[in-house]
């Protein structure tokens, strides 16, 4: 496989008068394959944006190497810039321009025509809002417009920094469909997010960052499987007598908690079959491990947003 991005031991320290030194990026390495959907997942302040800006060539690292599509992103090269799309913050729009005028401005920068600009508005579902001023668009529409602007130059690689932050669940899901489609067209996508379920739903592989470091890297499935965590199955209490509960638990942990009988099992299929056979599925809930559990395992603390 060909690497779209290779990052080796990146470091970046910010020095502020009030904050002192902050090791925002503290030895980060990863590799993104061509066509891959790669996520950088971490809580606020983890160092995601700084890492992304260095990879995009917008910020210079203190040390470490970056190869972006085979070249160094620093110093800035127009040839490389033409091959990547960077989603700008929605707040970076020109207030008084319509959606169409915004994207046509970007199209000119990339040497793309008005037809391409119109096609991209259509692509992100904004054709009907082409004449609406950017400031009047909804949060989800602004995000769509900024993604359309990032795509107008037909990039091979697209960077999205928290594209769904502050969107309602419906707008977020719509945007997921759009981003999946962009990746489905063969473009490499690098996305940052602080939403666990977003990384789990979208990414082929994720790097989990915390305090400037990559704490774990792999596909969400691999990372979750590596925990070897039991599945938690709960049903309403009182459907089974204590002896039967003990038999079904088969030596694995079981407890009564808030009106529920809670089993922890490594053989969920067997237990579920037995619970069904016993007619004891009232209030059934099944919880498998998630990236949240991976975060807890690798950082030793709960996720905070
Ligand atoms: N321009 C800056 N000057 C000083 N400190 C910064 C700057 N940008 C980010 N930081 C600090 O660096 C750390 C990482 O920030 P950032 O890369 O924005 O993380 P994330 O995108 O994961 O929230 C945070 O502690 C943040 O406060
Ligand atoms: Mg950020």
């Amino acid at each position: 496989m060909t690497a779209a991005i290779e990052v080796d031991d990146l470091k970046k320290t910010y020095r502020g008068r009030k904050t002192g030194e902050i090791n925002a990026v503290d030895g980060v390495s990863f590799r993104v394959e061509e066509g891959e959907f790669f996520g950088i997942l971490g809580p606020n302040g983890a160092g995601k944006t700084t890492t992304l800006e260095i990879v995009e060539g917008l910020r210079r690292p203190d040390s470490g190497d970056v190869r972006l599509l085979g070249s160094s992103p620093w110093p800035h090269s127009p040839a490389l810039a033409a091959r990547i799309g960077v989603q700008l913050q929605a707040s970076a729009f020109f207030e008084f321009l319509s959606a169409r005028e915004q994207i046509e401005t970007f199209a000119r920068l990339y040497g793309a025509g008005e037809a391409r600009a119109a096609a991209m508005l259509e692509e992100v579902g904004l054709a009907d809002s082409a004449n609406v001023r950017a400031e009047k668009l909804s949060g989800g529409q602004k995000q769509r417009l900024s993604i359309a602007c990032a795509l107008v130059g037909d990039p091979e690689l697209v960077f999205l920094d928290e594209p769904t932050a502050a969107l309602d669940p419906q707008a977020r899901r719509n945007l997921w469909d759009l981003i999946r489609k962009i990746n489905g067209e063969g473009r490499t996508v690098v996305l940052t997010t602080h939403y666990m379920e977003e990384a789990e739903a979208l990414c082929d592989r994720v790097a989990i960052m915390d305090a400037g470091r990559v704490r774990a890297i792999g596909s969400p499935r691999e990372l979750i499987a590596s925990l070897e965590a039991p599945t938690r199955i709960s049903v309403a209490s009182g459907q089974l007598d204590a002896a039967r509960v003990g038999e079904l638990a088969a030596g694995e942990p079981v407890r009564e908690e808030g009106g529920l009988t809670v089993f922890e099992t490594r053989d969920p299929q067997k237990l579920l079959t037995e619970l069904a056979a016993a007619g004891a599925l009232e209030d059934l809930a099944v919880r498998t491990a998630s990236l949240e559990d991976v975060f807890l395992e690798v950082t030793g603390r709960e996720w905070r947003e």
Side-chain angles (χ1 to χ4, degrees):
M1 280 196 274
T2 320
I5 299 171
E6 285 172 291
V7 170
D8 187 32
D9 204 17
L10 275 195
K11 292 188 180 167
K12 175 77 193 176
T13 300
Y14 293 114
R15 290 175 182 82
R17 247 184 317 131
K18 286 194 188 126
T19 52
E21 290 199 350
I22 295 171
N23 299 324
V25 177
D26 195 11
V28 163
S29 304
F30 60 84
R31 185 185 153 101
V32 179
E33 307 299 337
E34 247 174 40
E36 201 172 22
F37 197 132
F38 188 78
I40 302 178
L41 172 67
N44 287 327
K48 305 181 296 294
T49 296
T50 305
T51 301
L52 211 61
E53 287 176 351
I54 292 169
V55 176
E56 292 163 353
L58 298 176
R59 200 179 272 288
R60 189 177 191 174
D62 296 337
S63 63
D65 290 313
V66 184
R67 306 295 287 175
L68 175 60
L69 301 173
S71 320
S72 168
W74 188 281
H76 178 86
S77 104
L80 188 54
R83 297 172 65 194
I84 68 168
V86 176
Q87 184 197 6
L88 295 176
Q89 300 293 309
S91 57
F93 289 127
F94 306 104
E95 265 179 54
F96 299 108
L97 296 189
S98 68
R100 179 187 288 113
E101 291 162 339
Q102 306 276 357
I103 193 165
E104 286 179 354
T105 306
F106 278 90
R108 276 193 292 278
L109 287 176
Y110 280 104
E114 285 177 14
R116 172 80 187 165
M120 285 303 100
L121 279 186
E122 176 85 41
E123 169 93 10
V124 303
L126 283 180
D128 292 342
S129 309
N131 296 322
V132 176
R133 273 164 36 174
E135 63 193 315
K136 303 275 188 214
L137 296 172
S138 72
Q141 288 175 322
K142 280 184 189 158
Q143 292 289 6
R144 286 169 176 277
L145 178 58
S146 70
I147 290 173
C149 292
L151 289 176
V152 80
D154 194 18
E156 290 159 53
L157 202 169
V158 184
F159 293 99
L160 306 169
D161 193 0
E162 305 230 14
T164 69
L167 295 186
D168 63 63
Q170 185 57 50
R172 175 171 303 150
R173 290 237 163 11
N174 291 341
L175 211 62
W176 286 4
D177 291 341
L178 171 62
I179 300 170
R180 278 198 191 100
K181 190 163 161 226
I182 292 167
N183 180 243
E185 292 163 352
R187 299 179 214 273
T188 309
V189 174
V190 180
L191 162 133
T192 73
T193 183
H194 65 263
Y195 296 114
M196 300 266 181
E197 78 284 8
E198 181 161 293
E200 227 172 301
L202 292 176
C203 300
D204 296 323
R205 283 191 313 129
V206 294
I208 299 182
M209 276 191 84
D210 187 44
R213 298 200 176 166
V214 173
R215 305 290 168 157
I217 195 161
S219 73
R221 277 184 83 126
E222 276 165 17
L223 292 173
I224 292 165
S226 72
L227 290 176
E228 296 182 16
T231 300
R232 223 184 70 162
I233 295 176
S234 58
V235 292
S237 297
Q239 302 179 83
L240 300 161
D241 61 41
R244 188 79 184 108
V245 167
E247 278 169 28
L248 291 180
E252 293 190 290
V254 61
R255 62 183 186 278
E256 293 296 322
E257 187 181 285
L260 297 171
T261 304
V262 182
F263 297 89
E264 283 183 16
T265 177
R266 290 175 197 273
D267 194 349
Q269 193 170 342
K270 177 162 175 278
L271 179 57
L272 283 167
T273 307
E274 288 173 350
L275 285 169
L281 291 178
E282 196 185 325
D283 291 345
L284 172 72
V286 179
R287 185 184 176 280
T288 52
S290 68
L291 282 180
E292 201 155 341
D293 301 294
V294 176
F295 185 82
L296 179 63
E297 173 77 13
V298 296
T299 66
R301 59 185 181 78
E302 301 280 341
W303 183 258
R304 51 169 168 77
E305 292 213 333

